[in-house]
């Protein structure tokens, strides 16, 4: 079996990779487990040094790695450079903070000494998507290695070059052999990997359906999971919002990674008194976004990652229009080669339409009218997803109250686009998953939170 890397901008095959056999996969997992037996004893100073080294390598290779992303999944190269910068930052963040996060926590009891100790658990399987082929992996990998764990990666089958490059970077940074390895396998082989007794936990970023399957299998084996799944983030624009600023932020968020981001803004819930003005501003800013070659530094929107994904997005747009949505911009398949899709705006979006009920994974914005503030909050929460949300208002106190207590999502922002940050926990609720990555909470997901109780001698 081959795993094939295809350039979505022109449909040409970049390279074919021979998939690992089941025997090879089992051997690699055993190698990584054996590496963990030593790595778990490494000092925080050694982990800090190697994570810092990895951050430096990422920075030195960022142009090359950004070009690789552009070729394999169509990310505009400037966005790819920013992604590698972020990967370096998460490595440096845990290099700096992991020792503190993992230090013993003394708890007073009737013991002579009692405390909580954070111990590594072993090999973690990471199942990762193509849309942020480096960041998604490093936001798992940096805290995993910092905690004394090891990892194996099942990456998306359309970015094998990125997967192999990550393994090379870990090796180049000076980490011991086999603490991290890439498995070139199909999705059909994942169940057998989860079954492997050396796999202690699983983290997945992907669709809700994929998350359900992984959680079900891992749960049957009492193996912990962290799920970061789909999202249909609502951005609420209130009557007193700075509409110019809101429109700029909303368009930029919708266009992250050519619209292919779990936490990109997808539903824009606008109070009716400002809907007309907001749409006008939004439309002009969307029109200004340039679709083109992802290797061109002036490109805002590259191709979608695969033609089949682009076609599925178009079906959702057409069905929404058929059900009564109005297409103000885009919404047509471009001629020529490649998986391109134009910046698209749908208005008059209502329940029962894909643009309202489903995740649109591409450069398509759904604008939904709300009668007032309370209705806007209701609509924002009227979703099976709960990854991120944002609210726009000049009243920051009210915005904070809405973000902290009213919007149902794992990350809620005020007058800003939703984004992940190494310093803050990241994850969702409802069908967007459970568990957290990044920050203090992320490094504690895959450790044994151990109680130590020392009685009197």
């Amino acid at each position: 079996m081959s795993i094939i890397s295809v350039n979505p901008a022109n449909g040409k095959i970049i390279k074919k990779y021979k998939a690992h056999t089941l025997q090879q996969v089992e051997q690699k997992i055993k190698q990584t487990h054996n590496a963990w037996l030593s790595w778990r004893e490494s000092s925080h100073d050694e982990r800090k040094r190697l994570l810092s080294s990895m951050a430096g390598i990422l920075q030195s290779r960022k142009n090359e790695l950004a070009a690789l992303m552009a070729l394999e999944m169509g990310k505009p190269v400037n966005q790819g450079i920013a992604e590698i910068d972020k990967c370096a930052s998460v490595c440096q963040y845990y290099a700096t903070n992991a020792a503190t996060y993992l230090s013993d926590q003394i708890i007073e009891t009737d013991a002579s000494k009692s405390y909580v100790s954070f111990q590594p658990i072993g090999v973690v399987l990471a199942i990762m998507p193509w849309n942020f082929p480096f960041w998604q992996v490093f936001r798992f990998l940096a805290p995993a290695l910092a905690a004394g764990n090891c990892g194996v990666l099942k990456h998306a089958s359309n970015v094998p070059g990125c997967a192999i490059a990550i393994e090379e970077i870990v090796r180049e940074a000076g980490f011991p052999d086999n603490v991290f390895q890439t498995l070139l396998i199909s999705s059909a082989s994942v169940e057998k990997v989860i079954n492997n007794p050396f796999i202690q936990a699983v983290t997945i970023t992907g669709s809700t359906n994929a998350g359900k399957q992984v959680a079900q299998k891992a749960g049957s084996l009492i193996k912990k999971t962290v799920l970061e799944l789909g999202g249909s983030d609502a951005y609420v624009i209130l009557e007193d919002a700075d509409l110019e600023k809101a429109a700029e932020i909303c368009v930029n968020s919708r266009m992250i990674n050519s619209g292919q981001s779990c936490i990109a803004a997808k539903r824009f819930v606008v109070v009716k008194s400002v809907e007309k003005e907001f749409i006008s501003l939004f439309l002009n800013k969307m029109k200004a976004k340039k679709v083109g070659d992802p290797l061109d530094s002036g490109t805002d929107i590259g191709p979608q990652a695969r033609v089949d994904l682009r076609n599925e997005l178009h079906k959702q747009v057409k069905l929404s229009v058929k059900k009564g949505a109005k297409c103000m911009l885009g919404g047509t398949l471009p001629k020529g080669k490649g998986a391109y899709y134009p910046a698209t705006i749908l208005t008059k979006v209502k329940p029962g339409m894909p643009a309202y009920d489903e995740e649109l994974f591409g450069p398509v914005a759904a604008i939904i009218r709300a009668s007032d503030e309370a209705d806007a909050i209701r609509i924002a929460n009227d979703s099976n997803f709960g990854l991120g949300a944002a609210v726009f208002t000049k009243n920051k106190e009210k915005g904070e109250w809405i973000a902290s207590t009213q919007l149902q999502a794992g990350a809620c922002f005020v007058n800003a686009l939703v984004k992940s940050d190494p310093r803050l926990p990241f994850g969702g609720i409802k069908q967007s998953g459970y568990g957290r990555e990044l920050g203090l909470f992320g490094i504690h997901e895959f450790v044994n939170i151990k109680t130590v109780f020392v009685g009197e001698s």
Side-chain angles (χ1 to χ4, degrees):
M1 175 188 160
S2 295
I3 293 176
I4 303 173
S5 176
V6 177
N7 186 337
N10 55 28
K12 293 182 179 179
I13 293 175
I14 300 169
K15 188 175 180 179
K16 294 183 179 180
Y17 298 81
K18 188 174 181 179
H20 291 136
T21 65
L22 179 59
Q23 184 178 9
Q24 287 174 318
V25 168
E26 290 178 346
Q27 181 184 20
K28 285 179 176 293
I29 295 172
K30 186 175 181 180
Q31 288 172 342
T32 301
H33 170 73
N34 289 336
W36 174 72
L37 295 176
S38 297
W39 181 246
R40 68 191 299 272
E41 304 293 343
S42 60
S43 68
H44 287 299
D45 284 344
E46 181 182 4
R47 298 173 195 174
K48 178 178 181 177
R49 177 179 61 81
L50 294 173
L51 284 165
S52 295
S53 172
M54 193 153 63
I57 289 166
L58 285 162
Q59 290 284 7
S60 68
R61 294 181 60 179
K62 63 184 177 182
N63 290 326
E64 162 208 343
L65 300 174
L68 176 60
M69 281 187 274
L71 289 172
E72 283 205 315
M73 49 70 63
K75 188 186 299 289
V77 70
N78 284 346
Q79 295 180 31
I81 290 171
E83 179 170 334
I84 299 301
D85 284 337
K86 198 168 183 179
C87 294
S89 74
V90 78
C91 291
Q92 197 58 58
Y93 175 80
Y94 282 108
T96 302
N97 294 289
T100 300
Y101 292 163
L102 298 168
S103 61
D104 294 343
Q105 294 184 10
I106 301 294
I107 297 176
E108 295 296 330
T109 67
D110 55 349
S112 63
K113 183 180 183 182
S114 53
Y115 58 96
V116 177
S117 175
F118 302 96
Q119 297 296 317
I121 61 171
V123 181
V124 180
L125 166 64
I127 304 167
M128 293 295 152
W130 47 262
N131 58 335
F132 292 90
F134 284 87
W135 170 241
Q136 302 280 14
V137 177
F138 275 93
R139 76 183 192 195
F140 136 76
L141 184 59
L145 293 174
N149 291 319
C150 291
V152 291
L153 169 67
K154 190 285 176 204
H155 217 325
S157 294
N158 59 329
V159 289
C162 294
I164 290 169
I166 294 168
E167 185 175 322
E168 291 172 353
I169 290 164
V170 174
R171 190 180 305 117
E172 187 179 344
F175 283 90
D177 290 345
N178 303 322
V179 299
F180 172 80
Q181 295 197 75
T182 285
L183 309 177
L184 292 175
I185 58 175
S186 68
S187 296
S189 301
V190 167
E191 183 174 337
K192 292 178 180 177
V193 176
I194 298 173
N195 267 327
N196 190 293
F198 292 132
I199 298 296
Q200 300 302 313
V202 187
T203 180
I204 176 173
T205 298
S207 70
T208 298
N209 186 54
K212 288 178 179 178
Q213 293 180 48
V214 168
Q216 183 178 32
K217 181 60 186 176
S220 73
L221 299 168
I222 321 297
K223 296 184 179 184
K224 186 176 182 182
T225 51
V226 167
L227 311 181
E228 196 268 275
L229 309 177
S232 187
D233 287 12
Y235 279 32
V236 175
I237 295 89
L238 298 181
E239 191 172 27
D240 66 344
D242 180 334
L243 295 181
E244 176 70 34
K245 179 181 177 181
E248 181 73 18
I249 292 172
C250 287
V251 167
N252 288 339
S253 180
R254 177 62 283 201
M255 292 296 108
I256 292 170
N257 197 35
S258 306
Q260 302 166 113
S261 170
C262 296
I263 54 167
K266 299 188 175 85
R267 295 179 298 133
F268 301 92
V269 185
V270 190
V271 172
K272 65 180 180 181
S273 58
V274 295
E275 181 188 26
K276 184 176 180 181
E277 184 180 355
F278 176 80
I279 289 175
S280 176
L281 292 165
F282 193 91
L283 176 63
N284 288 334
K285 294 177 187 299
M286 284 282 274
K287 283 180 177 179
K289 296 298 182 183
K290 179 185 175 184
V291 179
D293 184 347
L295 290 170
D296 183 344
S297 61
T299 293
D300 299 305
I301 307 171
Q304 302 298 278
R306 301 196 311 262
V307 170
D308 63 307
L309 297 173
R310 187 274 309 270
N311 292 347
E312 179 60 32
L313 176 69
H314 186 53
K315 287 181 182 178
Q316 291 174 301
V317 169
K318 288 197 299 181
L319 183 55
S320 296
V321 171
K322 184 178 179 180
K323 288 177 174 286
K326 179 182 177 183
C327 186
M328 292 193 67
L329 179 70
T332 57
L333 287 177
K335 296 179 180 179
K337 294 181 179 180
Y340 289 96
Y341 201 75
T344 297
I345 299 175
L346 299 177
T347 61
K348 302 186 183 301
V349 172
K350 298 183 182 300
M353 300 176 182
Y356 187 101
D357 299 326
E358 301 172 10
E359 179 177 24
L360 301 187
F361 215 64
V364 181
I367 297 179
I368 305 167
R369 177 189 294 172
S371 58
D372 55 24
E373 178 184 307
D375 190 42
I377 293 169
R378 179 193 64 78
I379 293 169
N381 292 332
D382 186 25
S383 173
N384 290 327
F385 297 106
L387 193 56
V391 57
F392 292 84
T393 172
K394 291 177 182 175
N395 185 335
K396 288 199 296 184
E397 290 75 18
K398 179 171 71 175
E400 183 180 350
W401 172 76
I402 291 171
S404 64
T405 69
Q406 301 300 299
L407 295 175
Q408 298 168 5
C412 297
F413 285 51
V414 180
N415 297 331
L417 62 84
V418 178
K419 60 182 179 180
S420 57
D421 184 309
R423 298 164 293 188
L424 295 170
F426 179 78
I429 60 172
K430 300 193 280 189
Q431 296 296 297
S432 291
Y434 54 72
R436 292 295 179 264
E437 298 176 289
L438 303 174
L440 167 67
F441 297 92
I443 201 170
H444 284 169
E445 285 285 0
F446 294 125
V447 293
N448 175 10
I449 303 174
K450 179 189 289 187
T451 292
V452 179
F453 185 101
V454 182
E456 299 296 336
S457 58

